[in-house]
Amino acid sequence: MLTKSRYVIVSENTYTDPAGRRGRLVYNTATTRVSLLGTAAARQLEQVAPDDMPTALADRLRGLGLLTEQDPEQEMQSVVAAQKATADDTASRAFVLVPTSYCNMGCDYCGQTHVRGGLAPDHRRHVADRVLAAMAQPGTEQVEVRWFGGEPMMAYAVLLAMSEEFTAGSAATGTPYRATMTTNGALLTLRKMRRLYDDCAVREVCVTLDGPAEVHDAHRPLKSGQRSYARILDLLRGVVAEADAFEELSVILRVNIDVRNHGHVSELLRDLKDAGMDHRMVQLDLHGVYAWSNDVSDVRLGREELARQEVEWIQEILGLGMNHAVLPRARAGKICPAVTRSQEVISSTGSVFSCTEHPLVDRHEREDALSPVVMLPTPRLRPAGQFDDWHERLSSSSVPCSGCVFLPVCGGSCPKHWSESDPPCPPFKSNIQARMDLVAVLNNLRPVADEAQSAAGGGARSGGA
Ligand code: SF4
Ligand code: SF4
């Protein structure tokens, strides 16, 4: 028996295409496909039992994945099973490495405690051996190192030395290797960026800018008292100007937003455009400031307010020719290291964790370390962590995500925040209808003010977004 898929979202608005045909957008989170349905077909999808639909329409909706033979429980179990299979796959290994406990910035919304110091030499040897052993292990298809902080560029020399071992290990074993880096950008120069790209296989760099100059420098103050905004923007300008030399590099520009800087995001976006960030290698990433095991309630922007403004910012980003996803277009896989033993986090303190929010946070360093790295036999996967049963929890419907229409593309977002009763739902859960309006505009569709005017009729037409 056919039923409507539980993973279908129909736009509230009706749109008209350049030929004057009217329809509504349908986003299927299970296939990540967006279709334009004629208004009559959309109404039938919403209101009519599949068995009572004309056969031709039912067949077309089934072809688009909007009708399914699975009942809602089976559909959810299929989605969770696919996500679990991805998480259980150890052919692709990732190591989140924190090479230093120090950060040269003192952002007050950060939950980490930063002290000078880094991996002790014996810890460092064990960390490198774990990465190299993963490369050499039969069945490993790729290895990724994610340099993370503290501020990883505070340990630039360590990073270069370890990367040399990793690239040599990759050459010796034939296992593809790449690295990413999350950095505040203040210590990054174009020369260092070239070295990271050419010698250390860094293929993605995530840099944070929290506003235009004055706002960023106040929101992300350097402990030295100096300013970083102009320097970071110069660096980014240089990277984009040399894009041909960084052919495989992705640059993620992250903006952490709270009550203090949300009014300045538009100004930042215009600065970024003027600096040439309307380039295919650059992707904008907007985030609300949230609790990282710390209390940010004084500055956190309300969820609904963030979701409302986010759509306006995305619209501005696209209008300026820069890049930001409108709808999630990939199914969730390994949502984070905490749900897969193929990934692990190794702190500069020498402790192995499963969650990236545990290192350098006093309570978690004390209570949630899975093992000292020196005690972990190199070929073994990390020990089980607190959230490795995430897919069992989804499967048994013991978390709200099991019943959520976004489960296929979201995967639950963050098990840690669910465990702290702080739902980590991305803003798209709240602003999906406004995002569909954006998709419509990008596809040359105009919203129709009054759906009642629209003529009935039209079948299913699939559309791009
Ligand atoms: S549980 Fe949350 S904080 Fe921890 S690694 Fe996953 S997404 Fe990050
Ligand atoms: S985190 Fe929120 S949006 Fe994501 S699947 Fe869970 S309930 Fe849905």
Side-chain angles (χ1 to χ4, degrees), residues 340-360:
T340 169
R341 290 181 67 206
S342 66
Q343 301 186 359
E344 63 194 60
V345 183
I346 310 180
S347 175
S348 51
T349 58
S351 291
V352 178
F353 297 95
S354 66
C355 170
T356 52
E357 285 192 15
H358 285 171
L360 308 186

Side-chain angles (χ1 to χ4, degrees), residues 39 161 169 219 229 245 257 282 287 304 397 408 426 428 449 455:
T39 46
H219 214 236
Y229 181 82
I257 302 163
V282 182
H287 276 269
E304 294 307 315
S397 296
F428 59 67

Side-chain angles (χ1 to χ4, degrees), residues 335-338 354-357 387 413-417:
I335 57 167
C336 70
S354 66
C355 170
T356 52
E357 285 192 15
F387 308 115
S413 184
C414 174
K416 174 176 182 275
H417 288 199

Side-chain angles (χ1 to χ4, degrees), residues 401 404 406-407 410 412-413 418 424-426 429:
C401 304
C404 175
F406 291 104
L407 179 65
C410 175
S413 184
W418 279 114
C425 302
K429 186 173 185 190

Side-chain angles (χ1 to χ4, degrees), residues 98 100-101 109-115 148-150 291-295 345 347-349 351 353 355-369 416-417 420:
V98 181
T100 172
S101 307
Y109 57 79
C110 176
Q112 294 182 341
T113 302
H114 297 131
V115 291
F148 192 65
W292 184 299
S293 300
N294 57 344
D295 181 5
V345 183
S347 175
S348 51
T349 58
S351 291
F353 297 95
C355 170
T356 52
E357 285 192 15
H358 285 171
L360 308 186
V361 176
D362 295 339
R363 178 166 63 83
H364 297 304
E365 284 276 357
R366 271 196 318 274
E367 297 171 10
D368 294 312
K416 174 176 182 275
H417 288 199
E420 293 165 344

Side-chain angles (χ1 to χ4, degrees), residues 9-75:
I9 301 168
V10 181
S11 67
E12 287 164 3
N13 283 335
T14 300
Y15 310 98
T16 176
D17 71 12
R21 293 174 297 186
R22 291 166 191 250
R24 288 160 74 190
L25 287 176
V26 181
Y27 176 41
N28 183 338
T29 62
T31 62
T32 70
R33 185 170 180 170
V34 181
S35 306
L36 180 66
L37 288 190
T39 46
R43 199 175 304 120
Q44 296 229 18
L45 177 65
E46 282 191 311
Q47 297 172 5
V48 176
D51 284 349
D52 297 332
M53 288 178 188
T55 309
L57 177 63
D59 286 347
R60 293 178 77 181
L61 296 181
R62 186 179 172 195
L64 292 170
L66 305 176
L67 300 180
T68 167
E69 264 140 9
Q70 292 185 314
D71 68 31
E73 175 66 16
Q74 288 170 328
E75 253 198 306

